Amino acid sequence: MKKIKMISFNVNGLRAIVKKNFEEDFKKIDADFFCLQETKMQAGQLDLEFEGYYSYFNYAERKGYSGTAIYTKHKPLSVRYGIGEEKHDTEGRVITLEYKNFYFITVYTPNSGSELKRLDYRMDWENSFKNYLLELNKEKGVIICGDLNVAHKEIDLKNPKSNTKNAGFTKEERNKFTSLLESGFIDTFRYFYPDKKEIYSWWSYRFNARKNNAGWRIDYFVSSKDLEKYLVDAKIHNDIFGSDHCPVELEVDEKILK
Protein backbone atom coordinates (compact mmCIF):
# COMPACT_ATOMS: atom_id res chain seq x y z
CA MET A 1 0.00 0.00 0.00
CA LYS A 2 1.26 3.44 -0.91
CA LYS A 3 0.73 6.02 1.80
CA ILE A 4 0.05 9.74 1.87
CA LYS A 5 1.84 11.58 4.68
CA MET A 6 0.14 14.58 6.27
CA ILE A 7 1.88 16.86 8.78
CA SER A 8 0.58 19.64 11.01
CA PHE A 9 2.95 21.97 12.90
CA ASN A 10 2.30 25.08 14.97
CA VAL A 11 5.57 26.86 14.19
CA ASN A 12 5.04 29.80 16.59
CA GLY A 13 6.35 32.26 14.01
CA LEU A 14 7.44 31.08 10.56
CA ARG A 15 10.11 33.76 10.18
CA ALA A 16 11.61 32.70 13.52
CA ILE A 17 11.59 28.95 12.91
CA VAL A 18 13.20 29.32 9.47
CA LYS A 19 16.34 30.26 11.42
CA LYS A 20 16.13 26.97 13.37
CA ASN A 21 16.50 24.20 10.74
CA PHE A 22 12.87 24.35 9.60
CA GLU A 23 13.71 23.94 5.92
CA GLU A 24 15.91 20.92 6.65
CA ASP A 25 13.19 19.36 8.82
CA PHE A 26 10.57 20.05 6.13
CA LYS A 27 12.62 18.29 3.46
CA LYS A 28 13.54 15.38 5.75
CA ILE A 29 9.90 14.71 6.66
CA ASP A 30 8.95 14.79 2.95
CA ALA A 31 5.19 15.06 3.54
CA ASP A 32 2.49 15.19 0.88
CA PHE A 33 0.67 17.83 2.94
CA PHE A 34 2.53 20.08 5.38
CA CYS A 35 0.32 22.47 7.36
CA LEU A 36 1.42 25.36 9.54
CA GLN A 37 -0.34 27.31 12.24
CA GLU A 38 0.64 30.54 13.97
CA THR A 39 2.75 31.74 11.06
CA LYS A 40 2.61 35.28 12.55
CA MET A 41 3.31 37.10 9.30
CA GLN A 42 1.82 39.17 6.51
CA ALA A 43 1.98 38.70 2.75
CA GLY A 44 5.40 39.55 1.36
CA GLN A 45 7.31 39.22 4.63
CA LEU A 46 8.85 35.85 3.76
CA ASP A 47 9.15 34.08 0.44
CA LEU A 48 9.39 30.44 1.44
CA GLU A 49 8.67 28.02 -1.38
CA PHE A 50 9.59 24.36 -1.71
CA GLU A 51 10.14 22.65 -5.05
CA GLY A 52 7.27 20.33 -5.95
CA TYR A 53 4.78 21.99 -3.58
CA TYR A 54 1.81 24.30 -4.08
CA SER A 55 1.47 26.74 -1.19
CA TYR A 56 -1.50 28.58 0.31
CA PHE A 57 -1.37 31.20 3.08
CA ASN A 58 -4.10 32.82 5.16
CA TYR A 59 -2.90 35.93 7.03
CA ALA A 60 -4.43 37.66 10.04
CA GLU A 61 -5.32 41.32 9.63
CA ARG A 62 -3.42 42.01 12.86
CA LYS A 63 0.34 42.02 12.29
CA GLY A 64 2.49 39.31 13.84
CA TYR A 65 -0.52 37.27 14.92
CA SER A 66 -2.15 33.92 14.16
CA GLY A 67 -2.09 32.84 10.48
CA THR A 68 -2.07 29.47 8.70
CA ALA A 69 -0.46 27.86 5.66
CA ILE A 70 -0.56 24.63 3.66
CA TYR A 71 2.16 23.21 1.42
CA THR A 72 0.95 20.30 -0.71
CA LYS A 73 2.25 18.15 -3.55
CA HIS A 74 -1.34 17.63 -4.75
CA LYS A 75 -3.08 20.48 -6.52
CA PRO A 76 -6.59 20.99 -5.07
CA LEU A 77 -9.80 21.42 -7.05
CA SER A 78 -10.54 24.56 -5.05
CA VAL A 79 -9.21 26.62 -2.14
CA ARG A 80 -11.14 28.68 0.39
CA TYR A 81 -9.95 30.89 3.22
CA GLY A 82 -11.92 31.21 6.46
CA ILE A 83 -15.31 29.70 7.25
CA GLY A 84 -17.54 32.30 5.64
CA GLU A 85 -18.36 34.28 8.78
CA GLU A 86 -16.83 37.74 8.95
CA LYS A 87 -16.65 37.76 12.76
CA HIS A 88 -14.34 34.73 12.60
CA ASP A 89 -12.40 35.36 9.41
CA THR A 90 -10.08 38.28 10.26
CA GLU A 91 -7.45 36.19 12.05
CA GLY A 92 -6.31 33.90 9.22
CA ARG A 93 -7.26 30.73 11.08
CA VAL A 94 -8.62 28.35 8.42
CA ILE A 95 -7.65 27.10 4.95
CA THR A 96 -9.75 24.47 3.13
CA LEU A 97 -8.51 22.52 0.12
CA GLU A 98 -11.00 20.49 -1.90
CA TYR A 99 -10.15 17.13 -3.49
CA LYS A 100 -12.29 14.60 -5.31
CA ASN A 101 -13.06 12.48 -2.23
CA PHE A 102 -12.47 14.83 0.69
CA TYR A 103 -11.92 18.30 2.05
CA PHE A 104 -8.59 18.96 3.75
CA ILE A 105 -8.56 21.71 6.37
CA THR A 106 -5.94 23.30 8.56
CA VAL A 107 -7.10 25.33 11.54
CA TYR A 108 -5.61 27.37 14.35
CA THR A 109 -8.33 27.41 17.00
CA PRO A 110 -8.56 30.58 19.10
CA ASN A 111 -6.98 30.35 22.54
CA SER A 112 -9.31 31.20 25.42
CA GLY A 113 -6.52 33.31 26.87
CA SER A 114 -5.30 34.25 30.32
CA GLU A 115 -8.12 34.37 32.86
CA LEU A 116 -10.31 32.86 30.07
CA LYS A 117 -10.93 36.32 28.63
CA ARG A 118 -11.83 34.87 25.22
CA LEU A 119 -13.74 31.80 26.41
CA ASP A 120 -17.11 33.20 25.29
CA TYR A 121 -15.68 33.99 21.85
CA ARG A 122 -14.08 30.55 21.76
CA MET A 123 -17.45 28.90 22.41
CA ASP A 124 -19.00 30.93 19.57
CA TRP A 125 -16.10 29.94 17.30
CA GLU A 126 -16.51 26.25 18.21
CA ASN A 127 -20.18 26.30 17.23
CA SER A 128 -19.49 28.04 13.91
CA PHE A 129 -16.52 25.83 13.02
CA LYS A 130 -18.41 22.63 13.82
CA ASN A 131 -21.32 23.78 11.62
CA TYR A 132 -18.85 24.55 8.83
CA LEU A 133 -17.40 21.03 9.07
CA LEU A 134 -20.81 19.37 9.14
CA GLU A 135 -21.90 21.28 6.03
CA LEU A 136 -18.77 20.17 4.18
CA ASN A 137 -19.24 16.60 5.36
CA LYS A 138 -22.66 16.49 3.70
CA GLU A 139 -20.75 16.63 0.39
CA LYS A 140 -17.70 14.46 1.07
CA GLY A 141 -15.23 13.33 3.73
CA VAL A 142 -13.32 15.85 5.84
CA ILE A 143 -9.84 15.80 7.38
CA ILE A 144 -9.01 18.58 9.83
CA CYS A 145 -5.58 19.24 11.29
CA GLY A 146 -4.04 21.89 13.45
CA ASP A 147 -3.63 23.39 16.87
CA LEU A 148 -7.08 22.90 18.39
CA ASN A 149 -6.00 24.46 21.70
CA VAL A 150 -7.62 21.76 23.81
CA ALA A 151 -6.32 18.71 25.65
CA HIS A 152 -9.34 16.44 25.42
CA LYS A 153 -8.88 13.97 28.27
CA GLU A 154 -6.72 13.78 31.39
CA ILE A 155 -4.38 11.43 29.52
CA ASP A 156 -3.65 14.29 27.12
CA LEU A 157 -1.70 16.49 29.54
CA LYS A 158 0.85 16.00 32.27
CA ASN A 159 -0.93 17.85 35.09
CA PRO A 160 -4.70 17.63 34.61
CA LYS A 161 -5.75 18.34 38.20
CA SER A 162 -4.03 21.75 38.39
CA ASN A 163 -5.24 22.84 34.93
CA THR A 164 -9.00 22.34 35.07
CA LYS A 165 -9.67 26.08 35.08
CA ASN A 166 -6.94 27.00 32.61
CA ALA A 167 -7.34 27.72 28.89
CA GLY A 168 -7.15 24.51 26.89
CA PHE A 169 -8.46 22.21 29.62
CA THR A 170 -11.70 23.81 30.77
CA LYS A 171 -14.83 21.70 30.93
CA GLU A 172 -16.39 23.95 28.27
CA GLU A 173 -13.58 23.47 25.73
CA ARG A 174 -13.32 19.74 26.33
CA ASN A 175 -17.07 19.32 25.97
CA LYS A 176 -16.99 21.09 22.60
CA PHE A 177 -14.38 18.63 21.36
CA THR A 178 -16.43 15.71 22.67
CA SER A 179 -19.44 17.13 20.85
CA LEU A 180 -17.46 17.35 17.59
CA LEU A 181 -16.36 13.72 17.86
CA GLU A 182 -19.89 12.60 18.68
CA SER A 183 -21.18 14.32 15.56
CA GLY A 184 -19.19 11.90 13.40
CA PHE A 185 -15.46 12.56 13.71
CA ILE A 186 -12.39 10.63 14.86
CA ASP A 187 -9.39 11.81 16.92
CA THR A 188 -6.96 9.84 14.79
CA PHE A 189 -4.12 9.59 17.31
CA ARG A 190 -6.43 8.10 19.94
CA TYR A 191 -8.00 5.89 17.26
CA PHE A 192 -4.63 4.14 16.89
CA TYR A 193 -3.25 4.68 20.42
CA PRO A 194 -6.18 4.92 22.86
CA ASP A 195 -4.09 4.34 25.99
CA LYS A 196 -0.70 5.82 25.09
CA LYS A 197 0.46 8.10 27.91
CA GLU A 198 2.96 10.95 28.19
CA ILE A 199 2.82 11.78 24.49
CA TYR A 200 2.40 15.51 23.95
CA SER A 201 2.66 18.12 21.20
CA TRP A 202 3.08 21.36 23.18
CA TRP A 203 5.23 22.38 26.14
CA SER A 204 5.40 25.71 27.94
CA TYR A 205 8.69 27.59 27.56
CA ARG A 206 8.68 27.90 31.37
CA PHE A 207 9.86 25.52 34.11
CA ASN A 208 11.94 23.30 31.75
CA ALA A 209 8.61 21.83 30.63
CA ARG A 210 9.90 20.18 27.48
CA LYS A 211 12.98 18.74 29.17
CA ASN A 212 10.68 17.25 31.83
CA ASN A 213 8.02 16.29 29.26
CA ALA A 214 5.39 18.26 31.17
CA GLY A 215 3.30 18.83 28.07
CA TRP A 216 -0.14 18.87 26.50
CA ARG A 217 -1.50 17.12 23.39
CA ILE A 218 -3.37 19.97 21.70
CA ASP A 219 -2.40 19.38 18.04
CA TYR A 220 -4.58 16.95 16.13
CA PHE A 221 -5.63 15.23 12.96
CA VAL A 222 -9.38 14.69 13.06
CA SER A 223 -11.13 12.69 10.35
CA SER A 224 -14.80 12.28 9.50
CA LYS A 225 -15.91 8.69 10.07
CA ASP A 226 -16.65 8.14 6.39
CA LEU A 227 -12.86 8.28 5.75
CA GLU A 228 -12.02 5.70 8.43
CA LYS A 229 -11.14 3.06 5.82
CA TYR A 230 -8.25 5.23 4.59
CA LEU A 231 -6.58 5.75 7.99
CA VAL A 232 -3.21 3.99 8.31
CA ASP A 233 -1.28 5.45 11.27
CA ALA A 234 -0.70 8.53 13.41
CA LYS A 235 2.53 9.90 14.90
CA ILE A 236 3.80 12.73 17.07
CA HIS A 237 7.31 13.95 16.19
CA ASN A 238 8.51 15.13 19.59
CA ASP A 239 12.12 14.87 18.40
CA ILE A 240 11.66 17.95 16.17
CA PHE A 241 12.37 21.30 17.82
CA GLY A 242 12.25 24.97 16.86
CA SER A 243 8.79 25.76 18.30
CA ASP A 244 6.98 25.23 21.58
CA HIS A 245 4.93 22.68 19.60
CA CYS A 246 6.12 19.67 17.61
CA PRO A 247 4.72 18.28 14.35
CA VAL A 248 1.94 15.71 14.36
CA GLU A 249 1.29 13.28 11.52
CA LEU A 250 -1.45 11.26 9.87
CA GLU A 251 -0.80 8.59 7.28
CA VAL A 252 -3.62 7.64 4.91
CA ASP A 253 -3.99 5.25 2.01
CA GLU A 254 -3.18 7.00 -1.27
CA LYS A 255 -6.51 5.71 -2.64
CA ILE A 256 -8.07 8.71 -0.89
CA LEU A 257 -6.73 10.83 -3.76
CA LYS A 258 -7.92 8.54 -6.57
Side-chain angles (χ1 to χ4, degrees):
M1 178 206 305
K2 279 195 169 179
K3 292 177 279 194
I4 296 289
K5 185 190 288 189
M6 300 170 165
I7 293 283
S8 177
F9 192 9
N10 179 323
V11 291
N12 192 16
L14 186 54
R15 287 170 295 166
I17 203 172
V18 160
K19 299 168 186 168
K20 303 175 187 173
N21 293 322
F22 174 73
E23 292 175 76
E24 292 86 341
D25 289 334
F26 184 102
K27 289 169 184 172
K28 185 170 74 179
I29 289 173
D30 189 29
D32 292 85
F33 294 82
F34 203 119
C35 300
L36 312 178
Q37 301 87 41
E38 218 174 343
T39 53
K40 293 184 176 177
M41 53 181 262
Q42 310 302 123
Q45 286 188 315
L46 180 69
D47 183 21
L48 184 64
E49 298 295 333
F50 292 96
E51 189 176 348
Y53 287 86
Y54 302 93
S55 62
Y56 306 94
F57 284 77
N58 194 3
Y59 307 103
E61 289 179 6
R62 182 172 146 198
K63 288 184 177 175
Y65 180 72
S66 190
T68 48
I70 301 179
Y71 290 92
T72 177
K73 294 178 179 178
H74 307 278
K75 189 173 184 180
L77 300 173
S78 70
V79 183
R80 63 179 91 169
Y81 300 94
I83 61 174
E85 290 190 39
E86 193 174 338
K87 63 181 175 178
H88 295 312
D89 286 345
T90 63
E91 297 182 350
R93 294 188 178 275
V94 179
I95 303 172
T96 303
L97 306 185
E98 181 187 5
Y99 293 92
K100 182 182 171 187
N101 297 316
F102 68 107
Y103 287 102
F104 182 79
I105 299 168
T106 196
V107 58
Y108 176 40
T109 299
N111 192 306
S112 294
S114 61
E115 300 176 4
L116 304 178
K117 284 176 188 152
R118 282 194 108 190
L119 182 61
D120 288 346
Y121 172 71
R122 166 71 177 264
M123 294 296 99
D124 188 32
W125 160 276
E126 292 280 359
N127 294 336
S128 294
F129 187 61
K130 178 184 170 186
N131 289 338
Y132 176 70
L133 300 179
L134 292 174
E135 283 301 311
L136 292 180
N137 197 209
K138 287 177 183 175
E139 298 175 38
K140 56 183 86 174
V142 179
I143 293 174
I144 310 109
C145 72
D147 176 358
L148 300 189
N149 261 317
V150 62
H152 186 214
K153 300 279 180 74
E154 291 195 354
I155 193 176
D156 294 315
L157 73 167
K158 180 77 169 187
N159 298 305
K161 296 287 184 286
S162 60
N163 279 296
T164 53
K165 294 194 168 112
N166 289 337
F169 198 61
T170 63
K171 183 177 71 203
E172 292 90 341
E173 292 163 312
R174 295 165 65 196
N175 285 346
K176 288 294 185 188
F177 191 65
T178 298
S179 169
L180 176 65
L181 298 182
E182 288 175 348
S183 70
F185 290 87
I186 297 165
D187 172 354
T188 60
F189 185 79
R190 286 291 170 224
Y191 176 81
F192 290 107
Y193 306 104
D195 304 314
K196 195 161 190 176
K197 295 180 178 173
E198 298 187 352
I199 184 88
Y200 308 122
S201 66
W202 174 79
W203 303 260
S204 168
Y205 280 132
R206 302 162 67 197
F207 314 122
N208 289 318
R210 189 151 189 178
K211 183 179 172 186
N212 298 324
N213 197 29
W216 300 46
R217 189 178 72 94
I218 60 175
D219 301 87
Y220 294 81
F221 272 90
V222 174
S223 164
S224 56
K225 285 185 176 172
D226 48 341
L227 297 178
E228 183 178 0
K229 64 185 177 184
Y230 297 111
L231 303 179
V232 176
D233 197 9
K235 295 176 185 149
I236 295 182
H237 293 274
N238 50 21
D239 56 336
I240 292 180
F241 293 83
S243 170
D244 51 349
H245 295 249
C246 74
V248 298
E249 176 180 328
L250 176 66
E251 283 186 334
V252 298
D253 190 321
E254 68 159 2
K255 288 179 185 155
I256 199 171
L257 284 167
K258 297 268 169 90

